[in-house]
């Protein structure tokens, strides 16, 4: 191995930078590309020094690297798939390469504009160049190098641009509406700065406002009409800022306010206050780099002070004379923004200030403050708490209704980060100021995909807190279904007969929304009822899953979420759907309408005697034995009926066959488990359909899965399926070995090392299979299970395992015709009795009654076991949106899921909820 | 290799070029990966920093292509063919490594021993 060791600065960032730059460059280009043939006069072309290029590149690199850090995340996942990086193997190569390209493209544009002032190096140059803009625009294509100073100007521009905002902020009381004919009056010494600031805005504004018009043309026009402002034009750095920050819209949208804001400051000063000017400018440039930083995603530098609690930094700018400002201007030539930023005279706004800025009359200030808050809150619970305590959350929520997309977008981004985490108080705070309806309102209103992602991400976060689930259902269920689930699932209410069905799109919005619904679907019977009855929801989810199966794209998170919702909605269908009593199994001895509870009690009475129950059950089985007629429907079923139609069996089996995602597998098996539980007509159909669709081998195969929870769900599903007599015979013949091989041999666990709950589930399934079937008991003995069962019975540390094994052993010993064979193998009655130790163990357990999960299924509960997915997922993620410079929370499994124990749920659902830790995934490549 | 989010990362990296091996219909690299943004970083036994959600090499097949190329268990994969691997989900990393049409993957990996070696030998190296 050529241990070519090199030191790289942020290699990952570098590459991702390379990738990221692509889209942004495009953006840049569209803006700067204006080659208006009509405006070719240019002094600008003058400057193309190679030397300049090199230098700039260098400094730029540092800068870029920092810039990228936060953005990396969003771009990488989205990275254009086929985009071959030049010299793909060498990240460094690609890195520089991309930078170069970037220079040529955006940098070129920015530098160029900028270059002009540099090149002229006289203040009056701008004046002379009457067609200034136009010329520089036309210049661009041929622009190869930048003047050495370009970068400084660029950085400067960066701050300067922001400075405007700060300025407003700093001078809240200053005439907001002030109109700025100040240029002509500007003192010469001051001019460069002023000119720098203003023109940019104008420039950008021009672009935005008239995107179709070649920029050179439009600005030129502008210039002609307002010649006095002209001088400002050279400062083209706004572009740069954008290129660095990836901010596309912001400057534009804000433009109108922005530009006035920018000018506002100066007018008063223009004449009499020259010496004070610098002061105001000071904060403008310096006080706000914060914001600039945010936009560039470079914030980390600034963040640390925060982290260290420097909330109350002294106000930034002590009075300074014009000299100071001159100094500063000189300082602007310093090689990097960094050095400027380290200037002790600057400071970050403290948190109360940022929150105050949210209420600032100027929209850009609001949105920037929100964006900064989002950044600050990223993975910082302390700041989130502080924001809450400083009453920032209601302000952010109020901004959701702001008409400007930039403002509500940033507010939403901040809320998303705030809503993430273990601190439920933040979630409650959002709910308490009616944040949930506000989010839903915005979801209805906006078409901006990014905003929708943010909204649904926030809702997903909120949905992980139990008390908020019903609130989300009440306010948002139908809207999320109509706005996201149905359109993205591809399902159509009235399918057009000509067009073929649309496929689902696995968008982030869909993923977030389905995650949110997945969480709320575990909130008990009422939540399930609401979701089942939500118009179009079940239809759309099924369509999405079918489309996933069709496309063989079944491993993603959206599919997982959909299957989990389906599984939860399938829980207790036989009890909860309207009209369920009509379908109660007529062969069941109870009169329709008698509750499961009554049946359960009755059977409990005969718990270990069990003979009469057995007789009945086998009778049932024989009756439905392959003579099952699926009901003919006159009209296609829809809505919640789809949940338990036999057609879904094929869907779940396809998922079980194809998916590699353990959660999806578990949920699909869980759905079959839920559907095959219970005594009603539909569960009879489901059990038979699984067999007819050749689902049993698929399930048995999954008993070998590496995932504990998959094995568990499959084992319980098999148990419910074996209520069907024919299934019981088949499972007994073909699944026994796999079931037994999952059992531990006493203390010594097999390689899989399954959890106690899984072992208990398997033992209970075995018990169910051998009950009423001496054939199956024989298979069990042949599978060498007795040794393992006896070992568990005697030595297991788990009282539940011991008890479950003991039940099986007793049942087996109950078959007198098998005893002969057993004694031949050296077993005797004592092996099949409950161990002495077992009884005290279970007594010690403190449960006077029966431990639900260890009791044999039929005796305990006629309904069989059903499960519901209780896992809470929160959605957090890194930025995915190219425009958003701030950080988002990363996507990760939430290991702190909450499990709520409810009396009305069968114990098995608790068992299911017990797997707290997702197993680390490990993939061979 | 701990880092602060948002800060530039400095890492000593090694290039590892692995020629995929044809095994049946599949091209294999002969190692397994763990970690990713969607995984629980605490369960990663190889990371020093337990918040690191990077992609790590968890197993290497003896005499497999990866082992021959010098990949070691516990290596953190920084890049695959120039693509960043420090901020990707597990599945994204897997897909990036198993592109059917690529029969060579070039990795940048970092490991503790590398960093230490460099620290000793390159004292004067300018640190950025």
């Amino acid at each position: 191995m050529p241990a070519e060791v090199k030191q790289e600065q942020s290699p990952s960032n570098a590459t991702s930078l390379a990738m990221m730059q692509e889209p942004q460059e495009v953006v840049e280009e569209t803006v700067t590309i204006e080659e208006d043939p009509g405006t070719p006069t240019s002094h600008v072309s003058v400057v193309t020094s190679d030397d300049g290029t090199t230098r700039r590149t260098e400094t730029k690199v540092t800068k870029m690297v920092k810039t990228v850090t936060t953005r990396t995340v969003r771009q990488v996942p989205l990275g254009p798939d086929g985009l071959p990086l030049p010299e793909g193997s060498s990240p460094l190569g690609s890195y520089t390469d991309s930078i170069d390209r970037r220079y040529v493209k955006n940098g070129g544009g920015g530098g160029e504009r900028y270059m002009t002032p540099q090149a002229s190096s006289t203040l009056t140059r701008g004046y002379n160049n009457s067609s200034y803009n136009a010329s520089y625009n036309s210049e661009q294509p041929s622009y190869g190098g930048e003047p050495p100073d370009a970068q400084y100007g660029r950085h400067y521009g960066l701050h300067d641009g922001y400075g405007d905002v700060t300025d407003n902020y700093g001078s809240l009381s200053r005439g907001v509406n002030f109109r700025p004919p100040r240029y002509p009056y500007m003192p010469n010494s001051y001019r460069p700065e002023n000119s720098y600031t203003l023109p940019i805005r104008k420039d950008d504004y021009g672009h935005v406002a008239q995107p179709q018009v070649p920029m050179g043309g439009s600005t030129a026009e502008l210039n002609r009409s307002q010649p006095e402002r002209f001088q400002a034009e050279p400062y083209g750095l706004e572009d740069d800022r954008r290129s660095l920050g990836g901010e596309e819209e912001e400057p534009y949208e804000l433009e109108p306010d922005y530009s006035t804001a920018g000018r506002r400051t100066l007018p008063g000063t223009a004449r009499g206050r020259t010496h004070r000017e610098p002061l105001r400018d000071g904060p403008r440039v310096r006080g706000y780099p914060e914001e600039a930083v945010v936009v560039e995603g470079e914030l980390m530098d600034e963040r640390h002070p925060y982290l260290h609690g420097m909330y109350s930094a002294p106000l930034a700018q002590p009075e300074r004379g014009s000299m100071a400002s001159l100094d500063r201007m000189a300082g602007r030539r310093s090689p990097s923004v960094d050095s400027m930023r380290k200037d002790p005279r600057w400071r970050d706004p403290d948190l109360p200030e940022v929150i105050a800025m949210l209420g600032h009359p100027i929209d850009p200030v609001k949105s920037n403050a929100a964006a900064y808050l989002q950044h600050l809150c990223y993975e910082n619970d302390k700041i989130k708490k502080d924001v809450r305590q400083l009453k920032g959350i209601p302000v952010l929520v109020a901004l959701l209704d702001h008409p400007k997309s930039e403002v509500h977008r940033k507010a939403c981004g901040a809320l998303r980060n705030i809503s993430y985490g273990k601190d439920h108080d933040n979630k409650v705070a959002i709910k308490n100021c009616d944040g949930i309806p506000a989010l839903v309102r915005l979801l209805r209103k906006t078409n901006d995909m990014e905003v929708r992602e943010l909204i649904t991400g926030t809702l997903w976060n909120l949905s992980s807190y139990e008390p908020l689930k019903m609130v989300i259902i009440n306010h948002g269920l139908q809207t999320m279904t109509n706005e996201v689930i149905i359109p993205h699932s591809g399902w159509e209410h009235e399918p057009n007969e000509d067009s073929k069905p649309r496929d689902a799109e696995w968008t982030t919005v869909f993923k977030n929304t389905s995650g949110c619904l997945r969480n709320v679907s575990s909130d008990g019977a009422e939540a399930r009822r609401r979701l089942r009855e939500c118009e179009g929801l079940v239809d759309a989810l099924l369509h999405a899953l079918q489309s996933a199966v069709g496309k063989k794209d079944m491993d993603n998170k959206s599919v997982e979420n959909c299957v989990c919702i389906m599984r939860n909605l399938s829980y207790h269908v036989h009890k909860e759907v309207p009209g369920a009593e009509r379908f109660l199994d007529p062969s069941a001895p109870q009169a329709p309408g008698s509750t499961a509870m009554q049946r359960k009690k009755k059977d409990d009475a005969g718990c270990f005697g069990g003979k009469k129950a057995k007789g009945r059950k086998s009778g049932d089985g024989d009756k439905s034995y392959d003579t099952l007629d699926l009901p003919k429907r006159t009209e296609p079923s829809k809505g919640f009926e789809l949940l338990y139609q036999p057609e879904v069996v094929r869907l779940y089996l396809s998922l079980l066959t194809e998916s590699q995602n353990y959660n999806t597998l578990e949920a699909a098996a869980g759905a079959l488990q839920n559907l095959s539980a219970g005594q009603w007509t539909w569960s009879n159909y489901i059990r038979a359909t699984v067999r007819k669709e050749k689902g049993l081998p698929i399930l048995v195969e999954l008993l070998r899965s590496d995932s504990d929870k998959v094995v568990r769900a499959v084992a319980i599903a098999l148990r419910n399926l074996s209520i069907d007599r024919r299934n019981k015979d088949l499972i007994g013949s073909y699944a026994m070995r796999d079931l037994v091989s999952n059992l531990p041999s006493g203390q010594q666990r097999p390689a899989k090392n399954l959890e106690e709950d899984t072992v208990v589930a398997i033992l209970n399934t075995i018990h169910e299979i051998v009950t009423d079937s001496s054939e199956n008991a024989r298979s069990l003995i042949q599978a060498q299970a007795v040794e393992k069962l006896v070992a568990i019975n005697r030595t297991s540390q788990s009282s539940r395992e011991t008890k479950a094994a003991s039940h099986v052993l007793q049942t087996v010993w109950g078959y007198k015709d098998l005893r002969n064979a057993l004694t031949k193998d050296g077993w005797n009655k004592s092996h099949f009795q409950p161990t002495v130790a077992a009884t005290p163990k279970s007594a010690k357990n403190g449960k006077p009654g029966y431990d639900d999960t260890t009791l044999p299924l039929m005796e305990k509960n006629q309904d069989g076991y059903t499960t519901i997915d209780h896992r809470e997922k929160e959605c957090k993620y890194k930025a995915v949106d190219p425009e958003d410079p701030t950080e988002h929370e990363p996507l990760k499994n939430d290991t702190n899921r909450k499990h709520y124990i409810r009396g009305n749920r069968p114990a098995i659902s608790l068992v299911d909820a017990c797997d707290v830790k997702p197993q680390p995934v490990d993939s061979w490549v | 290799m701990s880092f602060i989010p948002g800060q530039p990362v400095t890492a000593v990296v090694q290039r590892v070029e692995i020629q995929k091996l044809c095994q049946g219909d599949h091209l294999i690299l002969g190692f397994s990966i763990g970690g990713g943004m969607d995984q629980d970083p605490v369960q990663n036994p190889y990371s020093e920093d337990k918040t690191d959600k990077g992609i790590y090499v968890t197993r290497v097949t003896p005499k497999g292509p990866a082992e021959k190329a010098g990949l070691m268990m516990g290596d953190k994969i920084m890049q695959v063919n120039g693509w960043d691997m420090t901020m990707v989900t597990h599945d994204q990393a897997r897909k990036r490594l198993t592109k059917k049409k690529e029969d060579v993957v070039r990795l940048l990996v970092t490991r503790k021993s590398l960093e230490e070696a460099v620290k000793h030998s390159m004292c004067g190296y300018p640190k950025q």
Side-chain angles (χ1 to χ4, degrees):
Chain A
M1 196 54 229
E4 178 193 330
V5 176
K6 59 184 177 177
Q7 195 161 23
E8 258 191 36
Q9 194 172 22
S10 167
S12 57
N13 293 331
T15 5
S16 60
L17 169 64
M19 294 182 275
M20 284 162 68
Q21 279 305 325
E22 282 288 316
Q24 282 164 7
E25 276 169 357
V26 175
V27 172
E28 278 314 308
E29 268 186 320
T30 52
V31 180
T32 51
I33 233 174
E34 319 304 339
E35 309 146 66
D36 182 6
T39 53
T41 40
S42 79
H43 329 237
V44 186
S45 61
V46 172
V47 195
T48 29
S49 83
D50 281 345
D51 157 50
T53 316
T54 355
R55 263 178 67 193
R56 187 196 40 199
T57 309
E58 257 172 16
T59 28
K60 213 49 178 186
V61 170
T62 8
K63 166 93 178 147
M64 289 307 296
V65 169
K66 305 187 91 183
T67 304
V68 177
T69 31
T70 53
R71 282 186 295 150
T72 306
V73 187
R74 73 178 118 108
Q75 279 288 356
V76 172
L78 300 182
D81 218 9
L83 180 70
L85 295 176
E87 306 176 14
S89 66
S90 147
L92 200 57
S94 58
Y95 177 34
T96 35
D97 179 69
S98 76
I99 287 173
D100 285 344
R101 274 185 287 154
R102 179 179 170 277
Y103 271 104
V104 175
K105 292 181 183 172
N106 344 328
E112 191 178 319
R113 302 182 174 199
Y114 176 122
M115 167 192 334
T116 309
Q118 291 300 344
S120 61
S121 80
T122 68
L123 295 174
T124 49
R125 173 64 168 262
Y127 279 120
N128 298 337
N129 184 358
S130 63
S131 58
Y132 192 82
N133 248 344
S135 67
Y136 91 71
N137 284 330
S138 64
E139 225 28 56
Q140 181 176 355
S142 65
Y143 187 65
E146 284 189 34
D149 285 342
Q151 105 198 17
Y152 308 140
R154 181 174 300 174
H155 294 308
Y156 177 62
L158 210 74
H159 292 290
D160 199 32
Y162 276 108
D164 284 337
V165 180
T166 317
D167 191 17
N168 296 330
Y169 172 56
S171 59
L172 292 184
S173 55
R174 280 255 169 107
V176 172
N177 296 321
F178 196 110
R179 285 279 153 186
R182 67 164 192 216
Y183 291 101
Y185 306 110
M186 273 189 331
N188 247 359
S189 64
Y190 205 61
R191 190 171 303 146
E193 192 153 23
N194 292 328
S195 62
Y196 277 40
T197 314
L198 294 178
I200 300 164
R201 311 261 166 224
K202 243 179 113 36
D203 199 19
D204 280 342
Y205 188 44
H207 288 295
V208 176
Q210 314 173 343
Q212 309 301 337
V213 182
M215 185 203 130
S218 66
T219 34
E221 235 176 314
L222 218 107
N223 291 335
R224 273 193 289 276
S225 63
Q226 304 175 331
E228 71 278 7
R229 287 189 185 170
F230 200 110
Q231 135 196 46
E233 293 294 38
Y235 211 60
L237 294 187
E238 195 61 29
D239 260 339
D240 254 343
R241 180 183 72 101
R242 270 192 304 130
S243 73
L244 289 176
E247 280 292 306
E248 193 183 342
E249 292 176 44
E250 190 168 9
Y252 302 146
E253 275 183 30
L254 306 181
E255 198 36 48
D257 291 336
Y258 227 148
S259 49
T260 50
R263 290 172 197 128
R264 185 184 320 148
T265 328
L266 293 179
T269 51
R271 272 204 173 152
R273 287 193 319 168
T274 316
H275 63 288
R276 282 171 68 192
E277 191 61 27
L279 180 67
R280 310 184 87 264
D281 256 351
R284 175 152 61 120
V285 176
R286 293 209 176 132
Y288 219 61
E290 199 55 47
E291 208 59 41
V293 171
V294 177
V295 173
E296 294 176 65
E298 200 181 338
L299 254 191
M300 277 332 275
D301 278 351
E302 302 299 332
R303 223 173 115 177
H304 294 291
Y306 264 98
L307 299 179
H308 297 130
M310 291 176 55
Y311 274 88
S312 47
L315 268 177
Q317 293 283 333
E319 282 281 318
R320 263 191 281 134
S322 53
M323 284 312 287
S325 80
L326 286 177
D327 282 350
R328 216 191 45 246
M329 285 163 64
R332 125 169 71 104
R333 316 233 157 194
S334 70
S336 82
V337 176
D338 268 347
S339 61
M340 290 181 74
R341 188 149 336 106
K342 291 192 179 114
D343 185 329
R345 287 169 297 186
W346 303 358
R347 69 170 188 95
D348 305 327
D350 60 26
L351 201 53
E353 283 175 316
V354 177
I355 290 169
M357 281 187 230
L358 292 173
H360 192 274
I362 309 275
D363 293 337
V365 180
K366 284 183 191 141
S367 69
N368 282 330
Y372 186 37
L373 263 188
Q374 175 183 12
H375 170 83
L376 289 175
C377 290
Y378 174 69
E379 290 200 334
N380 190 329
D381 291 339
K382 168 81 167 68
I383 302 248
K384 288 178 198 174
K385 190 172 160 218
D386 290 341
V387 171
R388 184 180 80 232
Q389 286 170 347
L390 290 166
K391 307 269 182 267
I393 291 177
V395 189
L396 285 168
V397 166
L399 288 182
L400 292 177
D401 289 319
H402 196 282
K404 283 223 168 79
S405 75
E406 202 48 45
V407 177
H408 61 237
R409 171 191 308 169
K410 300 288 196 240
C412 201
L415 284 172
R416 185 179 62 181
N417 279 4
I418 289 170
S419 63
Y420 178 80
K422 288 175 228 164
D423 191 349
H424 295 309
D425 291 345
N426 295 329
K427 299 181 174 104
V428 173
I430 292 174
K431 177 230 154 196
N432 283 346
C433 54
D434 287 331
I436 293 172
L439 287 163
V440 172
R441 210 157 46 231
L442 184 55
L443 180 62
R444 269 196 297 266
K445 211 165 50 184
T446 183
N447 286 318
D448 181 335
M449 209 36 115
E450 183 198 336
V451 177
R452 289 175 153 232
E453 285 174 10
L454 292 168
I455 296 167
T456 51
T458 312
L459 287 170
W460 191 359
N461 286 345
L462 294 174
S463 70
S464 71
Y465 185 45
E466 199 84 353
L468 301 188
K469 290 180 178 180
M470 217 55 209
V471 185
I472 292 173
I473 290 175
N474 288 334
H475 289 102
L477 174 59
Q478 195 68 53
T479 302
M480 285 191 279
T481 305
N482 292 343
E483 294 286 334
V484 181
I485 298 292
I486 292 178
H488 291 255
S489 71
W491 178 72
E492 286 162 68
H493 217 311
E494 310 267 316
N496 188 345
E497 293 191 0
D498 304 333
S499 60
K500 62 173 192 178
R502 289 192 298 131
D503 275 335
E505 309 158 49
W506 306 129
T507 56
T508 307
V509 177
F510 185 83
K511 180 182 77 186
N512 292 351
T513 310
S514 55
C516 176
L517 293 179
R518 172 182 176 177
N519 279 346
V520 300
S521 68
S522 71
D523 197 36
E526 176 63 11
R528 288 193 292 275
R529 188 184 65 77
R530 296 286 297 275
L531 263 71
R532 284 184 197 126
E533 292 172 7
C534 175
E535 199 178 328
L537 178 62
V538 174
D539 314 64
L541 291 173
L542 266 179
H543 183 93
L545 287 175
Q546 257 140 10
S547 141
V549 169
K551 286 190 295 184
K552 300 228 179 275
D553 179 12
M554 283 172 267
D555 297 339
N556 62 54
K557 188 76 181 176
S558 296
V559 170
E560 180 188 321
N561 287 338
C562 291
V563 185
C564 285
I565 299 170
M566 292 294 291
R567 160 207 173 124
N568 284 352
L569 298 187
S570 303
Y571 177 78
H572 277 186
V573 269
H574 57 285
K575 288 180 181 169
E576 293 175 1
V577 302
E581 58 282 350
R582 283 186 287 124
F583 294 102
L584 273 184
D585 190 345
S587 63
Q590 289 80 15
S594 78
T595 66
M597 262 337 233
Q598 286 168 317
R599 274 180 280 160
K600 195 178 84 177
K601 275 186 198 142
K602 186 181 159 202
D603 284 339
D604 277 352
C607 192
F608 293 104
K611 294 289 183 192
K612 33 184 185 28
K614 278 177 196 167
R616 173 177 61 75
K617 271 182 284 173
S618 45
D620 282 358
D622 289 340
K623 188 160 173 266
S624 56
Y625 196 96
D626 262 9
T627 57
L628 188 71
D629 294 318
L630 294 185
K632 299 281 177 284
R633 296 198 140 258
T634 47
E635 55 189 50
S637 42
K638 59 182 169 53
F640 63 79
E641 292 169 354
L642 290 168
L643 287 170
Y644 46 83
Q645 298 304 307
E647 287 82 2
V648 297
V649 168
R650 185 173 292 177
L651 172 67
Y652 292 131
L653 290 177
S654 301
L655 290 166
L656 288 169
T657 316
E658 302 277 348
S659 182
Q660 305 291 320
N661 179 332
Y662 287 148
N663 292 328
T664 302
L665 291 173
E666 181 204 11
L672 287 178
Q673 171 192 338
N674 285 344
L675 293 173
S676 56
Q679 292 289 348
W680 70 329
T681 318
W682 294 108
S683 62
N684 286 344
Y685 294 154
I686 296 284
R687 289 188 284 260
T689 309
V690 172
R691 180 178 66 247
K692 288 179 176 164
E693 294 282 349
K694 304 196 170 31
L696 295 176
I698 296 171
L699 289 164
V700 171
E701 172 85 25
L702 284 170
L703 285 174
R704 297 170 202 157
S705 167
D706 289 331
S707 165
D708 197 82
K709 60 194 177 190
V710 174
V711 173
R712 185 160 58 226
V714 167
I716 302 173
L718 286 172
R719 174 181 183 172
N720 285 347
L721 287 167
S722 67
I723 294 173
D724 178 299
R725 183 73 208 185
R726 182 76 188 277
N727 284 348
K728 180 182 278 193
D729 294 345
L730 289 168
I731 293 168
S733 319
Y734 298 107
M736 198 60 91
R737 265 171 209 287
D738 284 310
L739 286 167
V740 171
S741 70
N742 276 310
L743 291 177
S745 318
Q747 301 266 23
Q748 204 178 16
R749 298 260 160 184
K752 267 195 197 171
N753 196 15
L754 297 174
E755 287 171 20
E756 177 192 38
D757 290 326
T758 310
V759 174
V760 172
I762 291 167
L763 287 169
N764 287 339
T765 303
I766 292 176
H767 182 268
E768 174 63 27
I769 295 169
V770 298
T771 301
D772 296 335
S773 169
S774 63
E775 244 345 275
N776 287 347
R778 199 180 299 277
S779 312
L780 182 74
I781 295 167
Q782 283 161 3
Q784 317 291 323
V786 176
E787 191 178 349
K788 283 186 169 184
L789 290 167
V790 169
I792 294 169
N793 191 24
R794 299 214 159 157
T795 61
S796 169
Q797 299 299 306
S798 152
S799 62
R800 296 171 55 222
E801 285 180 13
T802 307
K803 219 200 254 180
S806 159
H807 286 310
V808 178
L809 289 171
Q810 287 174 53
T811 308
V812 172
W813 191 251
Y815 294 107
K816 297 204 171 68
D817 48 332
L818 297 177
R819 285 186 191 166
N820 218 356
L822 288 170
T823 41
K824 264 186 203 160
D825 288 343
W827 307 107
N828 60 52
K829 189 180 179 189
S830 69
H831 292 112
F832 295 87
Q833 297 302 313
T835 53
V836 189
T839 322
K841 254 192 242 168
S842 53
K844 255 188 281 173
N845 220 5
K847 293 183 185 171
Y850 299 108
D851 182 347
D852 285 12
T853 55
T854 59
L855 277 176
L857 168 67
M858 294 311 288
E859 280 133 334
K860 181 65 188 167
N861 185 337
Q862 290 280 348
D863 292 331
Y865 282 99
T866 51
T867 70
I868 190 159
D869 184 37
H870 259 295
R871 273 162 292 160
E872 308 297 329
K873 301 275 182 190
E874 289 196 45
C875 154
K876 37 169 171 175
Y877 30 153
K878 291 285 189 180
V880 268
D881 25 8
E883 284 92 31
D884 195 342
T886 46
E887 299 173 57
H888 300 249
E889 313 237 349
L891 174 73
K892 67 178 176 197
N893 279 346
D894 186 358
T895 51
N896 308 302
R897 300 165 184 161
K898 292 278 182 285
H899 306 293
Y900 294 87
I901 298 176
R902 303 187 163 207
N904 65 344
R905 290 202 176 117
I908 195 71
S909 74
L910 300 178
V911 169
D912 182 57
C914 275
D915 66 322
V916 176
K917 276 202 172 177
Q919 292 171 332
V921 182
D922 193 51
S923 321
W924 281 101
V925 289
Chain B
M1 239 296 319
S2 78
F3 61 95
I4 301 162
Q7 287 285 68
V9 179
T10 308
V12 183
V13 295
Q14 174 178 342
R15 279 168 205 266
V16 177
E17 185 171 322
I18 307 176
Q19 178 81 39
K20 287 187 190 172
L21 183 70
C22 219
Q23 200 175 69
D25 297 341
H26 301 285
L27 288 172
I28 61 145
L29 287 160
F31 68 97
S32 71
I33 55 167
M37 306 270 299
D38 53 340
Q39 302 294 312
D40 179 6
V42 180
Q43 298 187 52
N44 179 348
Y46 302 105
S47 60
E48 263 177 77
D49 171 3
K50 287 303 171 201
T51 64
D52 182 356
K53 296 168 196 156
I55 302 292
Y56 281 76
V57 176
T58 51
R59 287 171 288 177
V60 179
T61 315
K63 303 201 174 71
E67 187 184 64
K68 282 181 198 155
L71 197 68
M72 288 158 72
M73 198 191 281
D75 284 357
K76 176 175 179 175
I77 302 181
M78 309 294 286
Q79 295 186 3
V80 174
N81 287 346
W83 293 85
D84 171 58
M85 287 294 126
T86 63
M87 296 282 203
V88 295
T89 64
H90 185 86
D91 217 44
Q92 283 166 335
R94 186 181 56 75
K95 288 193 173 130
R96 185 56 66 196
L97 285 161
T98 53
K99 292 258 175 247
K100 284 236 185 318
K101 42 184 198 262
E102 297 170 353
D103 49 2
V104 173
V105 298
R106 298 184 181 85
L107 308 179
L108 279 194
V109 302
T110 181
R111 68 177 73 107
K112 201 159 184 263
S113 58
L114 272 179
E115 299 211 18
E116 276 161 5
V118 171
K119 217 180 284 169
H120 289 303
S121 65
M122 303 175 66
C123 297
Y125 201 89
K127 198 158 180 187
Q128 287 198 305

